[in-house]
């Protein structure tokens, strides 16, 4: 006989109390929204996240002793990155009308709007919902946007299943509270796509305690999850979703005829950590077995119930499911999941190795139509100098009514393109300075990611998105100087250790640790199947070249065949790299070293303008800076 697991009694953290008292995410958000203020109280801020919004302030505008420049970030929840044309146009309008004039494609395939004032929040959310979008559950302690490969291959059923099940898992774990529609749409119910009947049935089916006796939130109850919860569905061999970083990843298993059989299941991944707190760490998900397609919702519910009932609700730093898996060990964790599931989990099916995929450029989608993956540096859709991506995308979506998929690498993909539309679309993109040939993009840029950090992220310690173009340019110059001009690897940067751009799975990860200083993580694999490790805690941004040069030289001298930089660092180990660096003599290089070139720091906003003007004049920022300084010095001399 299977017994219902009994959850342990827990001492609640502050946020648990806020959730519990909120009447299913209603108060105090509903009341405070009506107040004529520019910000919310702490309790409302916590709950607002569940509605898809973060209270932020523009950190560039902080003045000691003065009130912060409060504004709100809105994040969409769109499984598999799917954005219908009318939603894209609405987001674009909102960015202009209420936001900061940009749209931000995120690392979980959503869009973010920044800079919205409190008084405009309701109208912005209502517009999104009325355009078939949603922000409900984009943030907060519940299931977040479910990821799937952004690959609209109509002739590859496994990709269709991945998208279908990403949608279904998102539906299964969607909060059921009416709070969202009451607050943002005055109770008007949105017209949403019908849920799959199997999903509806699964939400109500109680397998050994997976459902709570709670009519309003059968899966979550009054306290929702202990912490955020992240899922992805992918296909064998495709690691575009970074499956090792997710709480739960499902891998589609089909038979030879391409019919869906079930899913391999991975669990316990997660990246966030805190500096100087050894008990927090990134963790790669473990394979836990295989589940038939008919049982997949029950297994997902069983995993959710395990974390819901046994996850740490006292210490939020220890509340992600990865810590439960780590503390218990995989075997005990799986045992508890099986109690809720009601049967044993089958062994995993064999899988091919996972590869990095980004789906850029023009490609056939398998039904006579085309798709186009467009690289967006750090996901920021904006008009800047000759690069008018925002205008270009708006015009194309407006004119051709094309759907979009946001990719897990902060890029966007337009699909269902009639071959006759290729040439005019290509022409339009060229006219607005948008590159569509992925081979023409520097691979350091193509494979890199950076989180937003300053000025919107309240947790940022350093810059990230605003400085990474300059960092990549400097690394490219350094590689060229070392005779490695064609070399590339996956570089990811974040402004703090939370890991939003998944730096712990990069070959070279920069993680903000002190102002202008970064932890450096090395040894991740080029396909994000192995975690990197901390090489150093502090690298000043000014020391980038002198820090990296010995490593690159060692790599050049000692790599095996076509070994990637990440694999090299992992194979030789950090002691060997440190030893090489300690005895490395830069003057032994025939070429002039960059270390001898003086460097100066400038304010980020000045750097931004410098880059903008340099791009519009088609010259490197360093050349423009030299010209500008020379011109100024000339005036002083005169
Ligand atoms: Fe994140 C918090 C941005 C993906 C781990 N993340 C934040 C906040 C909301 C800051 C805050 O709490 O005040 C950031 C807003 C910045 C801004 O100004 O926009 C933020 N996270 C992002 C995005 C926009 C980064 C990007 O470059 O695209 C991504 C939005 C994804 C989405 O559409 O849902 C984003 N965040 C991630 C990922 C990657 C992923 O999910 O694949 C991670 C690491 C994976 C993981 O969760 O383990 C991630 N974000 C965090 C954490 C650390 C969580 C933890 O377990 O410790 C925080 C802080 C927190 O939750 O306390 C955080
Ligand atoms: Fe902010 Fe840190 Fe996430 Fe970057 S990694 S967006 S700095 S929370």
């Amino acid at each position: 006989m299977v017994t219902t697991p009994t959850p342990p009694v827990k001492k609640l953290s502050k946020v648990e109390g806020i959730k519990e008292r909120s009447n299913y995410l209603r108060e105090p958000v509903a009341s405070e929204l009506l107040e004529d203020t520019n910000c919310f109280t702490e309790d409302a801020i916590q709950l607002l996240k569940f509605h898809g919004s973060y209270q932020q302030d523009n950190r560039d505008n902080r003045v000691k002793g003065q009130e912060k420049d409060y504004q709100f970030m809105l994040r969409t929840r769109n499984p598999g990155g799917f954005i219908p044309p009318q939603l894209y146009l609405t987001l674009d309008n909102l960015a202009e009308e209420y936001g900061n004039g940009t749209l931000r494609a995120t690392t979980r395939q959503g869009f973010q709007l920044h800079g919205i004032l409190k008084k405009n929040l309701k109208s912005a959310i209502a517009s999104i919902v009325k355009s078939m979008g949603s922000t409900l559950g984009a943030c907060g302690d519940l299931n977040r946007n479910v990821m799937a490969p952004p690959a609209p291959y109509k002739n590859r059923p496994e990709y269709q299943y991945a998208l279908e099940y990403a949608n279904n898992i998102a539906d299964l774990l969607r909060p059921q509270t009416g709070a969202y529609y009451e607050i943002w749409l005055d109770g008007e119910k949105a017209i949403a796509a019908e849920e799959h009947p199997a999903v509806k049935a699964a939400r109500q089916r109680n397998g050994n305690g997976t459902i709570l006796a709670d009519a309003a939130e059968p899966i979550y109850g009054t306290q929702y999850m202990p912490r955020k919860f992240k899922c992805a569905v992918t296909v064998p061999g495709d690691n575009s979703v970074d499956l090792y970083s997710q709480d739960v990843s499902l891998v589609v298993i089909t038979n030879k005829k391409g019919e869906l059989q079930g899913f391999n299941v991975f669990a316990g991944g997660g990246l966030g950590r805190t500096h100087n707190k050894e008990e927090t760490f990134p963790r790669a998900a473990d394979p836990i077995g295989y589940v038939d397609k008919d049982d997949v919702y029950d297994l997902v519910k069983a995993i959710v119930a395990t974390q819901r009932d046994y996850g740490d609700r006292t210490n939020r730093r220890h509340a992600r499911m990865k810590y439960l898996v780590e503390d218990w060990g995989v075997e005990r964790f799986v045992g508890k999941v099986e109690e809720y599931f009601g049967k044993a989990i089958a062994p995993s099916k064999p899988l091919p190795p996972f590869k990095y995929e980004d789906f850029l450029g023009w490609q056939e989608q398998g039904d006579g139509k085309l798709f186009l993956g467009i690289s967006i540096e750090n996901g920021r859709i904006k008009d800047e100098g000759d690069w008018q991506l925002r205008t270009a995308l708006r015009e194309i979506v407006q004119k051709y009514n094309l759907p979009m998929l946001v990719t897990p690498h902060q890029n966007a993909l337009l699909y269902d393109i009639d071959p006759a539309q290729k040439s005019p679309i290509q022409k339009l993109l060229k006219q607005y300075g948008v590159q569509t040939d992925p081979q023409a993009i520097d691979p350091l840029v193509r494979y890199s990611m950076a989180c937003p950090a300053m000025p919107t992220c309240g947790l940022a310690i350093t810059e990230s998105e605003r400085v990474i173009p300059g960092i990549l340019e400097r690394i490219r110059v350094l590689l060229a100087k070392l005779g490695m001009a064609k070399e590339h690897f996956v570089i990811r940067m974040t402004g703090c250790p939370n890991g939003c751009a998944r730096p712990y799975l990069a070959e070279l990860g920069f993680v903000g640790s002190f102002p202008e200083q970064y932890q450096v993580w090395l040894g991740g694999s080029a396909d994000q199947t192995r975690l990197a490790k901390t090489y150093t805690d502090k690298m000043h941004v000014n020391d980038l070249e002198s820090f990296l040069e010995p490593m690159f030289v060692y790599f050049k001298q000692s790599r095996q065949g076509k070994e990637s930089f990440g694999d090299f660092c992992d194979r030789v180990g950090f002691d060997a790299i440190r030893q090489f660096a300690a005895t490395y003599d830069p003057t032994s290089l025939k070429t002039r070293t960059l270390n001898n070139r003086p460097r100066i720091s400038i304010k980020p906003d000045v750097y931004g303008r410098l880059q903008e003007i340099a791009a519009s004049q088609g010259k490197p920022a360093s050349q423009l800076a030299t010209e500008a300084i020379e011109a100024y010095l000339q005036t002083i001399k005169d």
Side-chain angles (χ1 to χ4, degrees):
M1 198 188 82
V2 190
T3 51
T4 304
T6 330
V9 178
K10 292 189 169 105
K11 185 174 153 258
L12 300 181
S13 74
K14 202 170 144 233
V15 178
E16 293 300 317
I18 296 172
K19 290 184 277 185
E20 171 91 62
R21 288 191 301 273
S22 71
N23 185 17
Y24 300 101
L25 312 179
R26 288 180 173 84
E27 290 297 347
V29 173
S31 320
E32 288 186 23
L33 188 66
L34 303 175
E35 290 168 10
D36 184 18
T37 53
N38 56 2
C39 62
F40 288 89
T41 62
E42 188 50 38
D43 284 14
I45 289 170
Q46 290 303 333
L47 292 171
L48 198 58
K49 295 180 187 179
F50 292 76
H51 297 258
S53 182
Y54 271 76
Q55 179 167 308
Q56 305 184 315
D57 71 286
N58 185 334
R59 295 178 62 176
D60 284 346
N61 295 348
R62 278 189 191 174
V63 180
K64 221 173 168 194
Q66 284 184 21
E67 193 188 53
K68 287 178 179 169
D69 179 9
Y70 288 113
Q71 53 180 42
F72 293 80
M73 175 267 272
L74 261 185
R75 185 185 286 169
T76 62
R77 188 191 61 107
N78 41 286
F82 171 63
I83 303 281
Q86 72 272 30
L87 176 59
Y88 184 76
L89 295 174
T90 298
L91 292 170
D92 181 84
N93 281 340
L94 291 173
E96 191 61 36
E97 203 180 345
Y98 298 140
N100 66 359
T102 74
L103 273 175
R104 179 62 158 61
T106 77
T107 53
R108 286 197 76 76
Q109 305 183 267
F111 270 123
Q112 283 189 180
L113 290 160
H114 288 106
I116 300 176
L117 299 180
K118 181 173 174 247
K119 61 179 184 189
N120 298 325
L121 207 48
K122 182 167 176 173
S123 167
I125 293 181
S127 304
I128 290 172
V129 177
K130 285 176 183 160
S131 306
M132 306 293 287
S134 181
T135 63
L136 173 62
C139 322
D141 296 345
L142 36 60
N143 184 44
R144 300 294 191 87
N145 199 33
V146 183
M147 292 169 71
Y153 295 124
K154 301 289 160 65
N155 56 348
R156 295 178 66 180
E158 67 277 23
Y159 277 104
Q160 299 297 312
Y161 292 132
L163 192 56
E164 181 188 336
Y165 277 78
N167 267 306
N168 290 352
I169 302 293
D171 283 346
L172 177 74
L173 302 178
R174 190 187 13 227
Q176 300 296 297
T177 172
Y180 187 71
Y181 301 101
E182 286 165 27
I183 296 175
W184 310 106
L185 285 120
D186 298 321
E188 208 181 300
K189 192 86 181 125
I191 318 144
E194 255 308 289
E195 269 183 1
H196 195 287
V199 171
K200 255 191 200 156
R203 195 182 306 107
Q204 278 142 27
R205 190 165 52 241
N206 193 1
N208 312 314
T210 53
I211 298 295
L212 302 168
D214 189 317
E217 289 287 7
I219 292 187
Y220 291 126
T222 50
Q223 282 167 239
Y224 294 82
M225 295 297 275
R227 202 68 162 84
K228 54 179 72 167
F229 191 80
K230 300 187 172 178
C231 301
V233 187
T234 189
V235 310
D238 184 331
N239 195 24
S240 54
V241 299
D242 261 349
L243 85 152
Y244 290 97
S245 70
Q246 314 281 340
D247 291 79
V248 178
S249 287
L250 301 176
V251 184
V252 167
I253 303 288
T254 51
N255 63 14
K256 286 210 175 95
K257 287 195 240 158
E259 292 158 346
L260 181 65
Q261 302 299 294
F263 300 86
N264 268 13
V265 185
F266 291 70
L271 301 182
R273 45 177 285 280
T274 307
H275 286 310
N276 305 318
K277 297 224 176 294
E278 292 299 311
E279 67 278 18
T280 66
F281 45 83
R283 186 177 192 283
D286 292 286
I288 63 159
Y290 166 84
V291 63
D292 280 336
K293 65 175 194 306
D294 293 341
D295 288 339
V296 66
Y297 303 128
D298 286 336
L299 182 62
V300 169
K301 270 169 52 198
I303 299 173
V304 167
T306 305
Q307 160 68 354
R308 178 195 68 203
D309 295 343
Y310 294 90
D312 190 340
R313 289 187 188 262
T314 62
N315 174 6
R316 287 183 67 78
R317 284 221 173 104
H318 186 252
R320 290 294 296 273
M321 193 173 81
K322 64 179 172 179
Y323 297 117
L324 189 63
V325 179
E326 186 69 19
D327 294 348
W328 279 5
V330 178
E331 205 177 313
R332 181 173 165 202
F333 175 79
V334 171
K336 186 56 75 184
V337 171
E338 285 174 338
E339 278 182 42
Y340 284 101
F341 187 42
K343 54 182 162 184
I345 300 173
S348 302
K349 305 279 182 202
L351 289 175
F354 282 103
K355 294 260 165 278
Y356 179 108
E357 301 269 2
D358 68 7
F359 306 103
L360 293 189
W362 285 99
Q363 298 192 40
E364 310 251 336
Q365 66 181 38
D367 60 353
K369 295 202 167 173
L370 305 172
F371 72 80
L372 170 64
I374 300 171
S375 171
I376 308 171
E377 244 184 294
N378 309 308
R380 189 66 69 177
I381 298 179
K382 59 184 173 183
D383 288 341
E384 191 174 79
D386 291 341
W387 192 67
Q388 302 272 308
L389 178 65
R390 210 186 122 207
T391 303
L393 284 177
R394 185 176 56 238
E395 282 190 21
I396 292 169
V397 174
Q398 225 158 20
K399 192 159 179 196
Y400 301 102
N401 198 34
L402 295 176
M404 183 185 279
L405 294 170
V406 183
T407 84
H409 300 118
Q410 306 170 321
N411 298 319
L413 194 146
L414 294 166
Y415 68 103
D416 279 350
I417 305 173
D418 196 292
Q421 295 167 344
K422 179 176 175 181
S423 163
I425 289 176
Q426 183 68 26
K427 205 169 140 206
L428 202 142
L429 286 165
K430 192 162 177 225
Q431 177 197 330
Y432 288 115
V434 180
Q435 180 58 260
T436 53
D437 175 8
Q439 307 304 332
I441 300 164
D442 181 341
L444 286 184
V445 175
R446 174 176 176 179
Y447 299 120
S448 72
M449 293 206 286
C451 71
M454 304 287 190
T456 51
C457 180
L459 306 177
I461 302 167
T462 57
E463 292 281 349
S464 181
E465 180 185 324
R466 295 198 294 199
V467 298
I468 200 171
I471 299 275
L472 296 180
E473 196 179 295
R474 286 167 64 187
I475 293 177
R476 176 53 68 213
V477 170
L478 174 64
L479 286 169
K481 185 193 80 166
L482 301 174
M484 302 163 79
K486 295 225 163 102
E487 196 52 59
H488 66 85
F489 28 84
V490 176
I491 301 176
R492 294 177 176 179
M493 175 180 264
T494 55
C496 88
N498 283 318
C500 298
R502 300 188 288 268
Y504 310 120
L505 282 159
E507 295 184 271
L508 177 55
F510 295 105
V511 175
S513 51
F514 290 90
E516 301 203 345
Q517 300 189 49
Y518 295 84
Q519 265 190 343
V520 177
W521 287 65
L522 296 177
S525 69
D527 294 310
Q528 286 78 61
T529 50
R530 182 182 58 235
L531 282 173
K533 295 189 195 94
T534 330
Y535 179 77
T536 188
D537 277 331
K538 280 190 217 168
M539 179 210 70
H540 197 283
V541 71
N542 290 349
D543 299 331
L544 182 80
E545 288 85 356
S546 57
F547 183 84
L548 292 177
E549 183 171 316
M551 268 177 220
F552 291 166
V553 170
Y554 187 27
F555 171 50
K556 187 181 173 192
Q557 286 175 4
S558 309
R559 78 195 294 187
Q560 292 177 346
K562 290 194 169 158
E563 190 175 37
S564 69
F565 180 61
D567 286 352
F568 168 79
C569 293
D570 185 60
R571 177 177 59 80
V572 299
F574 290 0
D575 286 348
I577 300 173
R578 286 196 183 101
Q579 211 169 347
F580 185 91
T583 52
Y584 175 71
D585 174 11
T587 55
S588 63
L589 278 178
K590 289 203 187 80
T591 44
R592 189 169 64 92
T593 75
L594 271 183
N595 301 326
N596 297 335
R597 186 193 288 181
R599 278 189 298 274
I600 50 169
S601 299
I602 54 173
K603 288 196 327 205
D605 56 328
V606 178
Y607 182 69
R609 277 170 47 212
L610 188 73
Q611 278 219 313
E612 209 173 292
I613 299 165
S616 70
Q617 296 183 5
K619 46 174 95 154
S622 52
Q623 186 188 334
L624 185 68
T626 308
E627 286 171 12
I629 296 168
E630 270 173 3
Y632 174 72
L633 293 176
Q634 197 58 42
T635 60
I636 295 178
K637 208 171 133 205
D638 294 345

